[in-house]
Amino acid sequence: MDYSQLDDEQICLGTDEDIETNLGGVMPPIVQTSLFKFKSLEALHAGLDKEHENYVYTRGQNPTVEILEKKLALLERGEACKCFSSGMAAVSAVFMGLLEKSNHILFVNNVYGPTMQLAKHLQKFGIDFDVVTDNDIKKIEKSIRLKTRLIYIESPGSLLFHVVDIPTITALAKKRGILTCIDNSWATPLYQKPLEMGVDISIQSCTKYIGGHCDVMAGAVISSNELIKKIFYNTFLLQGGILSPFDAWLLIRGLRTLPTRLKQHHADALSVAHLLQKNPKIKTVFHPAVHPKDKELAGKLLTGYTGVFGFELKSGSFKKVERFIDNLKIFNIGISWGGTQSLVFSPNNGHNEESLKMQSIPSGLIRISVGLEGADRLIQDIDQALASI
Ligand SMILES: *Cc1c(COP(=O)(O)O)cnc(C)c1O
């Protein structure tokens, strides 16, 4: 099949799947097996010699997982993809598979908390890091050290959803011979193509929009054949954080509706964000299409917006944050995002104002994940909860 002829919607819907691979099914088979058998010992050893290309053992390659990996590689415009049991397993595999003692990572933008905790842990193994949270290319350039091997970007970033200038950063990194990696979970490969902007590696927490129903945990790394092969042998095969065939099948099912779900998340989140902007109890709306600092660049880099964003209550008191969240009726109180049901969260726990201030996170910050209940219903719910504070 000529995959270059397929658009993103067709890849999501399964036009790329052939009748033989799917055993005639409109959905691919779940190849629930731990190992594969061979006709001879010689054939088995030939398989083991190139385990990244052959079905030998499901800790390496599995046909159901491979169908998903091919789709994600096509969607991100990468040569290859490996899937993992969670987004964090994917992040760990990149750090540990490509870095070594005395290397340095430069983080750009507000990066997902557990990724930063992992970076702190890696300091024990001689890998150091720095963080630049604003979109200042001079500051980024100044923070590059002789040993900087990786620039790790999240854009839009966690909690504040600020956007950074990806093409400028990758141009700088290329000039200095530094690898770049992005956490592209927020935009998904449908709304942002980082590899086309020069990024070397794209990571997805498929737990979020790709799965889309809050019923599966998974991660993916998309890159060149060379880097994926390195990650395969250095970490994927050895750390063992693999995606199960059934979970891969759930994600293939998730992809079937991803384009349609995202259209609805995009429209409804924008409606909610625009209304919040007009509410006198709201100080700032942290949505990349709305925030004055982000909207111009976001319009250039993203082809759509998903459903997660933040806003800041004028009063940052914990009591008000708590009352607002507890009074919401439709939004479920919980972490994570990207599912069909709306979710609400605040990083404020009532006794971490100092630590939030150090990270430039306003104490009145609320994060919502706009689900598929419909914008009118969600706006009504937010309005009544705001009226109660
Ligand atoms: C959730 C998340 C991750 C981690 O993914 P898991 O599947 O939970 O391990 C990484 N990055 C971002 C931006 C996330 O929101």
Side-chain angles (χ1 to χ4, degrees):
M1 186 171 302
D2 183 3
Y3 293 111
S4 65
Q5 295 297 313
L6 299 177
D7 61 30
D8 287 357
E9 280 73 17
Q10 289 177 302
I11 295 159
C12 288
L13 285 166
T15 314
D16 58 317
E17 297 157 20
D18 56 53
I19 200 159
E20 290 79 23
T21 318
N22 276 14
L23 305 178
V26 291
M27 282 300 283
I30 303 170
V31 184
Q32 188 72 16
T33 185
S34 64
L35 76 141
F36 300 84
K37 54 186 180 180
F38 290 81
K39 290 199 171 122
S40 67
L41 182 63
E42 190 190 0
L44 167 59
H45 279 292
L48 273 171
D49 280 345
K50 281 193 170 182
E51 209 173 343
H52 67 291
E53 287 176 356
N54 298 306
Y55 307 133
V56 180
Y57 194 45
T58 284
R59 180 153 49 72
Q61 287 287 19
N62 172 280
T64 311
V65 181
E66 196 177 34
I67 290 169
L68 173 66
E69 289 170 344
K70 277 202 175 134
K71 285 177 189 289
L72 294 176
L74 287 168
L75 292 172
E76 290 264 9
R77 311 289 189 259
E79 286 174 354
C81 164
K82 270 324 286 175
C83 282
F84 294 81
S85 53
S86 69
M88 281 313 296
V91 174
S92 312
V94 169
F95 288 170
M96 289 173 218
L98 301 180
L99 301 175
E100 55 186 48
K101 200 174 95 182
S102 83
N103 281 174
H104 172 256
I105 312 170
L106 182 58
F107 289 98
V108 176
N109 213 357
N110 290 81
V111 169
Y112 183 62
T115 301
M116 295 314 302
Q117 286 167 29
L118 177 63
K120 282 187 192 122
H121 180 69
L122 288 182
Q123 287 180 318
K124 293 179 190 154
F125 300 88
I127 294 169
D128 208 357
F129 70 90
D130 279 295
V131 187
V132 177
T133 49
D134 52 20
N135 195 13
D136 181 346
I137 195 72
K138 287 212 180 76
K139 228 188 238 176
I140 295 168
E141 190 156 18
K142 265 196 207 141
S143 307
I144 292 175
R145 296 191 202 164
L146 216 58
K147 294 280 193 177
T148 305
R149 168 94 178 115
L150 182 70
I151 296 181
Y152 186 99
I153 306 166
E154 205 177 298
S155 182
S158 278
L159 290 175
L160 299 180
F161 307 93
H162 289 312
V163 173
V164 296
D165 191 345
I166 302 168
T168 306
I169 297 169
T170 56
L172 170 69
K174 279 203 188 347
K175 218 167 58 189
R176 306 284 291 262
I178 300 165
L179 285 174
T180 46
C181 176
I182 189 168
D183 184 328
N184 197 31
S185 307
W186 188 92
T188 85
L190 293 193
Y191 287 168
Q192 183 163 259
K193 307 275 189 215
L195 269 53
E196 290 187 339
M197 302 180 207
V199 177
D200 296 302
I201 305 153
S202 184
I203 292 178
Q204 278 292 324
S205 167
C206 305
T207 310
K208 311 294 163 55
Y209 282 114
I210 309 253
H213 295 74
C214 299
D215 54 7
V216 59
M217 297 207 67
V221 179
I222 300 98
S223 185
S224 63
N225 284 325
E226 187 196 343
L227 287 177
I228 291 294
K229 194 172 163 189
K230 210 165 169 183
I231 289 167
F232 182 90
Y233 287 107
N234 282 354
T235 39
F236 177 81
L237 200 55
L238 304 179
Q239 289 180 336
I242 66 145
L243 187 63
S244 77
F246 179 67
D247 286 346
W249 183 87
L250 279 175
L251 293 172
I252 294 166
R253 189 168 82 151
L255 281 177
R256 294 285 201 256
T257 55
L258 182 67
T260 311
R261 278 186 285 116
L262 285 191
K263 274 182 208 154
Q264 202 63 43
H265 288 300
H266 166 109
D268 289 358
L270 273 174
S271 301
V272 176
H274 286 136
L275 243 103
L276 283 168
Q277 237 186 338
K278 292 185 203 133
N279 194 300
K281 286 187 177 164
I282 305 298
K283 190 168 169 194
T284 313
V285 176
F286 295 98
H287 184 298
V290 166
H291 196 282
K293 199 176 134 221
D294 296 307
K295 60 182 180 188
E296 194 189 327
L297 186 57
K300 282 187 199 151
L301 302 184
L302 297 156
T303 51
Y305 302 96
T306 57
V308 202
F309 67 97
F311 53 92
E312 181 188 355
L313 299 181
K314 248 181 204 150
S315 159
S317 85
F318 177 67
K319 276 270 157 279
K320 293 226 164 155
V321 168
E322 190 178 36
R323 199 178 317 145
F324 170 74
I325 287 183
D326 290 349
N327 282 344
L328 286 166
K329 293 187 167 71
I330 296 177
F331 287 83
N332 296 290
I333 302 169
I335 55 168
S336 196
W337 41 267
T340 57
Q341 293 163 295
S342 292
L343 296 165
V344 62
F345 166 76
S346 173
N348 189 342
N349 64 16
H351 44 80
N352 60 348
E353 290 208 8
E354 270 313 302
S355 125
L356 291 175
K357 202 181 267 171
M358 267 163 51
Q359 302 167 68
S360 310
I361 309 278
S363 56
L365 186 77
I366 312 281
R367 182 189 72 188
I368 57 171
S369 172
V370 170
L372 301 177
E373 297 93 341
D376 291 348
R377 227 188 278 248
L378 298 176
I379 287 165
Q380 229 174 26
D381 194 26
I382 291 173
D383 278 347
Q384 66 80 25
L386 281 175
S388 75
I389 64 170

